[in-house]
Structure formats: structure tokens, C-alpha cells
Amino acid sequence: EDTEGKYHGCWPVIEEAHGSDYVIGMSYPHPEEFGSKGFVTADRDGDGWVINGAKSYWTSSAPCANYAFLIVNLPPHRSIADIGGCIVPLTLPGVTQGPPIDKLGLRDDPQGELAFDNVRIPAHYMLLAEPVFGRFATKGVISSTSCGMACMFTGLARAAFEEALKYTRERVQGGRPLIEHDVVKLKLSDMFLKVETARYFTRVVLRHVSERSRALTFDQSTAHALSAQVYATNIAYEVAHQSRQLHGANGLTKDYLIEKLYRDATAGLMEDGANEALSLEAAYSFLEEGRYTTE
Ligand SMILES: Cc1cc2nc3c(=O)[nH]c(=O)nc-3n(C[C@H](O)[C@H](O)[C@H](O)COP(=O)(O)OP(=O)(O)OC[C@H]3O[C@@H](n4cnc5c(N)ncnc54)[C@H](O)[C@@H]3O)c2cc1C
């Protein structure tokens, strides 16, 4: 238990040569087709493991974290399916943490590179030492992170909607507040429907995944979790765009919150997996699991 805030973690997964491969590779039947170049590898060495390679500069919190749950490639390093996971203190010799990258949205969440040059960890830091556990655990972890993304971006959609309500009540055009024009009411109604459907879908999926996680049954529907992320991030992007349009030119300035919400919503379509890759993996998952409901 970290009562003093000593542990600041990050989750480095993707590499320069493998981005969506890691999402699609969870269920894709022939992951060897994705190639075997550019992995961060872990190899047995005496009573521990040695790690080499670089993760891409997209790892969130990499510039400031002090621990990583690092996704590694295990021997015999044939493909993305030889996946493992270990804890790496980022203060160990051989670890390099890159500076924060300069990006469009979610700027309060810094990303940066992590490189590993003969970094030694003791055997018990390798939590997922068999690929079969790695694949299994990745599905469990991504179900939880997808729920987190769905909650965060449902919240963003709601904030964008509320900004639109506020602005259209204040801004007068055509002799009356924008909100009194029926065309504007129709737009707000459409945004309301989107926010509410995202909220209900996210809530149902979050309840399902949390119940299964707490019960340690490991039978959560990955397809529902991934789809909740895709749905909520798409809705957030659409509602932020609609709200920004209702703000007129003011929506393009940093004086209005909607400018930031729109940039953050754009980043949400890619964070923790491109929506296209997540949708494809969702299809593989429900076909494999043969389940189309959370019951
Ligand atoms: C804000 C933010 C935070 C992030 N945090 C982290 C983090 O903490 N840890 C981490 O490891 N990563 C992180 N990422 C990286 C993120 O996981 C990747 O950006 C994402 O998985 C996509 O990989 P990529 O950028 O390499 O795009 P690519 O995989 O190169 O995809 C480019 C485009 O091609 C499409 N595409 C890719 N493969 C296929 C295919 N087989 N068939 C058809 N179309 C395809 C994709 O849908 C996409 O539109 C973060 C990204 C962002 C934006």
C-alpha cells in the first residue's frame, strides 16, 4: 500500500515498430505476421533477467514515473505473442527516461521514451514469465484500462455539453440567446442523447468488468470493455466538435474551455489504442468468446 505517494507508475507497451500490433495481437490468430523486429526483450541471466531495447516515446508518465510495469518480449522472441510483464524500478542502471513530447491534446499527461540497456532485475520482478499468462493478463488489464478511458471520455463529453449549454444561454444573436433558437435546441438535444447513451453504456460495462475483477473469475467480456472505450471516445470527439461549433470563433481561442476539451477529445481516439484496432480486437474477442451480452 502506497500511503505516501512514493510509487509513480507507467505502463510501457508500444514500440516504434509495434503500435496497434499489441492491441490486435491479443487475439489475432497469426501474430507472427506482424514481424519480430524492435521488441524490448527480456532474457534469463543467472538468477534474474536482463532487459534490452526501447519503448516508443508514447508511454504516459515515462518522463516522471519511478516504476514501470514493462511489457517485454520473452524467449524465443518469435513474435508479439511471446509476451511477458515485469516490474522495473526506473532508477536502475541502464534505464534512460526521455523528455516529455510536445503534443496536441492531453498535455497535462506527459509522454516520453524509455530505453533499457542491459538492465538487470531479480527473478521475482518478472510477474508474467510465461507468454500464456501474458496474453491472458493483457486482456484483463486492457479491459480495466478501457473502462477507465470510457469513464474519462464520457466525462469529457458531458463537460463539452455543459459548456455548450452555458455559452448558448449567454451569447445573443438574432435578438435572443442562441439557446432560444430551435436549430440550436435540436443540436443540444442530439448532444444530450450522445452523452446519455455513453453514460449508460459505460456504466453497464464498468459494473460488469468490476464485478468479474473483484470475483477473480477472469471471465469479463473484453469486447464490451473495448467497445465502451471506442463508443465513449467517439462520442466525446463528436460532442466536443458540436460544442466548439456552437461557440463560434470563440471556440478556437484558449479563453474558452472547449478549445482544450476538443484537443483532448482528439487524443482520446488514439490513447490506449487506436479506435479501429480496438474495434477489430473487440470483434476477434466476441467471436472467440462466443458471447454478445454481459450476462
Ligand atoms: C495520449 C496518449 C497516451 C498514450 N499512452 C501510452 C502508454 O502509456 N503506453 C503505451 O505503450 N502507449 C501509449 N500510447 C500509444 C498508443 O497506445 C498508440 O498510439 C496506439 O496503440 C496506436 O499505435 P501507433 O500510434 O503506433 O499507430 P499505428 O499502429 O501505426 O496505427 C496508425 C493507423 O493505422 C491503423 N492500423 C494499424 N494497424 C492496422 C491494421 N493491422 N489494419 C488496419 N489498420 C491498422 C490504426 O487504426 C491507425 O489509424 C499513448 C498514446 C496517446 C495518444
Side-chain angles (χ1 to χ4, degrees), residues 37-51:
K37 291 219 166 16
F39 292 133
V40 168
T41 56
D43 290 283
R44 275 273 185 194
D45 185 41
D47 56 356
W49 293 82
V50 173
I51 301 165

Side-chain angles (χ1 to χ4, degrees), residues 28 32 44 67 73 98 104 127 129 197 215 232 243 254 269-270 290:
Y28 188 72
E32 65 280 1
R44 275 273 185 194
Y67 283 86
N73 196 265
L104 173 83
L127 303 183
T197 50
S243 177
K254 295 202 182 298
L269 303 175
M270 197 55 66

Side-chain angles (χ1 to χ4, degrees), residues 21-28 135 138-139 142 222 226 281:
D21 286 356
Y22 273 105
V23 175
I24 299 168
M26 284 191 293
S27 300
Y28 188 72
R135 278 190 111 186
T138 310
K139 281 196 159 202
I142 207 160
T222 317
L226 299 177
E281 174 59 25

Side-chain angles (χ1 to χ4, degrees), residues 273-284:
N275 277 0
E276 298 84 352
L278 293 167
S279 299
L280 192 55
E281 174 59 25
Y284 282 127

